[in-house]
């Protein structure tokens, strides 16, 4: 949809980025940390699997408070922390999702 | 500490009370259309949500910030220390008219700044920029930073411009300078709200636009977040690495 609406010359854009190999974009497990990307996650996400891809410092928790769609979970923090206590994910990672990642992302 | 990175408000008449008198004609009003409550403003109508307290677990007073103290008490019950607030109305771009968009955005930003002032720093918020007026958008971001905002709302596309469109470079530059992240919330940047795909996919696609155009490298201090898109998509961007992860995938698949 984006390409149809506005022609974007990705090729020249890639080559002009200093330090980047002319023909490749490195998609790797360090990408989120390297590019300072973050993503909220949901209780339905397969976190043990997702965390294998190096995003433990870049995931956030959101309750979708006010709304009632599939994302909404008022007790998302409790649920994720319980998964940490139960060993489904490391407890220190659960704390990152609940606290430190958000403080870094929002600059709190 | 527990930080809720994606909490919302429902806009009410209070939200539009900050529209300047010269723009009063742009103020959304509530109408009843065939038994359904709607917002109506120049060129647009949109459902005004009537939510169930039972289904949402919230109340009208907490959703609309009519009672900030009640919202904070509810956060205490949930064990949440801080919420970062996102709009509901602006999850779809409200207008293709610059004057209307500017009036609505300014009013929302001033309303939420005023309402969250009473929260002792527990309710932070993301600014809604008027994207059709980039100079005004930058002014709004600066104003918002000084009044409690901690992020800049954006969707994957805005007014049919992709996330890597050079039009947005001043926005990224100013957000980076002010140390405010770009918060890509699932939603529609099309004022007609007609999407052939899920709003989440729309927003996630912005990641590829941004990586391809080298935006993160161009602004090495800028943070960008994808909000309410779940996290399952991240494995495709982070990639499957090398043989090690493939072997693990094989084990996982054989284990069922």
């Amino acid at each position: 949809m984006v390409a149809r609406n506005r022609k974007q010359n990705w090729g020249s854009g890639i080559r002009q980025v200093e330090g980047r190999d002319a023909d490749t974009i490195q998609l790797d497990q360090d990408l989120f940390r390297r590019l300072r990307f973050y993503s909220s996650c949901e209780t339905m996400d397969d976190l043990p699997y997702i965390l294998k891809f190096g995003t433990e410092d870049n995931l956030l928790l959101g309750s979708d408070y006010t709304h009632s769609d599939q994302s909404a979970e008022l007790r998302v923090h409790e649920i994720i922390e319980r998964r940490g206590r139960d060993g489904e994910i490391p407890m220190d990672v659960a704390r990152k999702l609940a606290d430190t990642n958000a403080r870094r992302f929002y600059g709190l | 500490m527990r930080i809720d990175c994606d909490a919302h408000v429902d806009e009410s008449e209070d939200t539009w009370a900050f529209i300047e008198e010269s723009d009063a004609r742009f103020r959304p009003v509530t109408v009843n259309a065939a038994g359904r409550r709607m917002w109506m403003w120049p060129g647009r109508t949109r459902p005004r949500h009537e939510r169930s307290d039972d289904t949402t677990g919230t109340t009208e007073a907490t959703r609309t910030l009519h009672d900030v103290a009640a919202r904070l008490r509810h956060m205490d019950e949930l064990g949440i220390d801080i919420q970062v607030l996102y709009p509901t109305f602006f999850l779809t771009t409200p207008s293709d008219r610059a004057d209307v968009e500017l009036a609505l955005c300014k009013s929302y930003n001033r309303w939420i700044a005023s309402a969250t002032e009473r929260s002792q720093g527990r309710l932070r918020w993301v600014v809604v920029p008027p994207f059709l007026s980039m100079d005004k958008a930058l002014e709004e971001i600066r104003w918002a930073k000084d009044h409690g905002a901690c992020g800049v709302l954006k969707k994957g596309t805005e007014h049919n411009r992709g996330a890597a469109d050079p039009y947005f470079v001043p926005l990224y530059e100013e957000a980076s300078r002010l140390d405010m992240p770009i918060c890509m919330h699932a939603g529609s940047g099309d004022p007609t709200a007609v999407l052939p795909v899920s709003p989440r996919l729309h927003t996630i696609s912005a990641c590829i636009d941004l990586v391809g155009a080298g935006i993160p490298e161009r602004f090495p201090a800028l943070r960008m977040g994808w909000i309410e898109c779940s996290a399952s998509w991240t494995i495709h961007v982070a990639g499957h690495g090398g043989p090690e992860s493939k072997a693990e995938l094989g084990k996982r698949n054989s284990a069922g």
Side-chain angles (χ1 to χ4, degrees):
Chain A
M1 175 187 286
V2 170
R4 264 206 309 281
N5 287 338
R6 287 188 80 78
K7 187 174 179 182
Q8 288 184 315
N9 192 351
W10 282 16
S12 61
I14 293 170
R15 292 187 183 93
Q16 286 165 12
V17 177
E18 187 176 338
R20 175 180 283 171
D21 182 280
D23 296 315
T24 63
I25 303 170
Q26 192 172 0
L27 297 182
D28 59 22
Q29 295 186 24
D30 201 38
L31 181 138
F32 275 74
R33 185 199 61 77
R34 187 161 42 85
L35 300 187
R36 301 164 306 283
F37 285 176
Y38 292 74
S39 176
S40 65
C41 58
E42 296 170 2
T43 54
M44 292 186 295
D45 283 321
D46 184 347
L47 282 179
Y49 184 64
I50 290 169
L51 289 168
K52 289 180 185 295
F53 293 89
T55 51
E56 67 178 63
D57 293 319
N58 301 84
L59 297 181
L60 310 169
L61 295 181
S63 71
D64 206 29
Y65 188 107
T66 293
H67 295 169
S68 57
D69 52 22
Q70 66 186 81
S71 313
E73 178 53 73
L74 294 184
R75 299 193 179 274
V76 59
H77 297 77
E78 278 183 27
I79 292 168
I80 297 302
E81 288 171 0
R82 188 185 324 129
R83 291 182 183 171
R85 286 193 298 273
D86 293 346
E88 183 180 331
I89 61 175
M91 190 63 207
D92 65 319
V93 172
R95 291 199 190 100
K96 286 185 182 181
L97 268 58
D99 180 11
T100 51
N101 292 352
R103 282 196 272 132
R104 188 185 323 111
F105 175 63
Y106 284 117
L108 302 177
Chain B
M1 191 175 277
R2 289 176 175 175
I3 300 172
D4 184 351
C5 294
D6 178 27
H8 288 272
V9 294
D10 268 341
E11 294 80 1
S12 69
E13 282 72 16
D14 290 354
T15 310
W16 316 122
F18 292 82
I19 289 180
E20 295 168 13
E21 268 315 298
S22 56
D23 292 329
R25 64 196 183 283
F26 300 150
R27 183 175 290 126
V29 296
T30 301
V31 298
N32 189 305
R36 189 171 189 187
R37 199 170 64 157
M38 306 285 285
W39 284 118
M40 186 171 73
W41 68 102
R44 294 278 178 266
T45 58
R46 186 177 294 165
R48 181 175 176 180
H49 294 279
E50 300 200 63
R51 303 190 194 275
S52 160
D53 291 1
D54 288 338
T55 303
T56 64
T58 61
T59 66
E60 193 266 352
T62 62
R63 294 190 292 270
T64 59
L65 299 183
H66 285 155
D67 191 340
V68 171
R71 179 126 181 183
L72 296 177
R73 286 195 299 274
H74 196 202
M75 287 165 61
D76 291 337
E77 289 171 24
L78 296 171
I80 295 173
D81 297 283
I82 296 174
Q83 283 185 333
V84 179
L85 302 182
Y86 286 76
T88 295
F89 185 90
F90 291 90
L91 295 184
T92 302
T93 296
S95 181
D96 53 7
R97 284 177 53 177
D99 53 354
V100 176
E101 185 193 45
L102 177 61
L104 298 180
C105 290
K106 285 184 71 173
S107 189
Y108 173 88
N109 293 330
R110 278 142 191 79
W111 164 71
I112 200 159
S114 171
T116 57
E117 248 182 352
R118 308 189 287 274
S119 73
Q120 296 96 48
R122 295 184 63 191
L123 295 176
R124 303 295 296 273
W125 53 284
V126 297
V127 59
V128 181
F131 287 108
L132 288 172
S133 313
M134 186 53 71
D135 56 339
K136 299 297 183 186
L138 302 185
E139 286 179 14
E140 278 300 287
I141 293 170
R142 291 180 206 120
W143 183 92
K145 172 78 176 184
D146 290 337
H147 292 81
C150 62
V152 180
L153 177 70
K154 197 179 178 302
K155 277 87 72 190
T157 63
E158 293 285 356
H159 299 284
N160 288 327
R161 293 182 183 273
D165 193 303
Y167 178 81
F168 295 117
V169 164
L171 183 87
Y172 298 143
E173 192 167 39
E174 191 65 7
S176 180
R177 189 184 73 80
L178 294 170
D179 193 33
M180 292 174 79
I182 302 295
C183 306
M184 301 266 190
H185 195 291
S188 170
D190 178 353
T192 64
V194 175
L195 280 180
V197 297
S198 153
R200 292 186 172 201
L201 289 178
H202 218 50
T203 306
I204 290 166
S205 69
C207 180
I208 304 303
D209 283 355
L210 293 164
V211 172
I215 297 296
E217 288 95 332
R218 186 168 174 179
F219 301 103
L222 186 63
R223 302 180 296 284
M224 292 190 169
W226 277 260
I227 308 297
E228 205 175 320
C229 300
S230 93
S232 299
W233 64 279
T234 63
I235 68 171
H236 302 292
V237 176
H240 287 280
E244 207 170 36
S245 65
K246 287 181 183 174
E248 286 186 17
L249 276 173
K251 285 182 201 171
R252 180 186 171 88
N253 288 340
S254 61

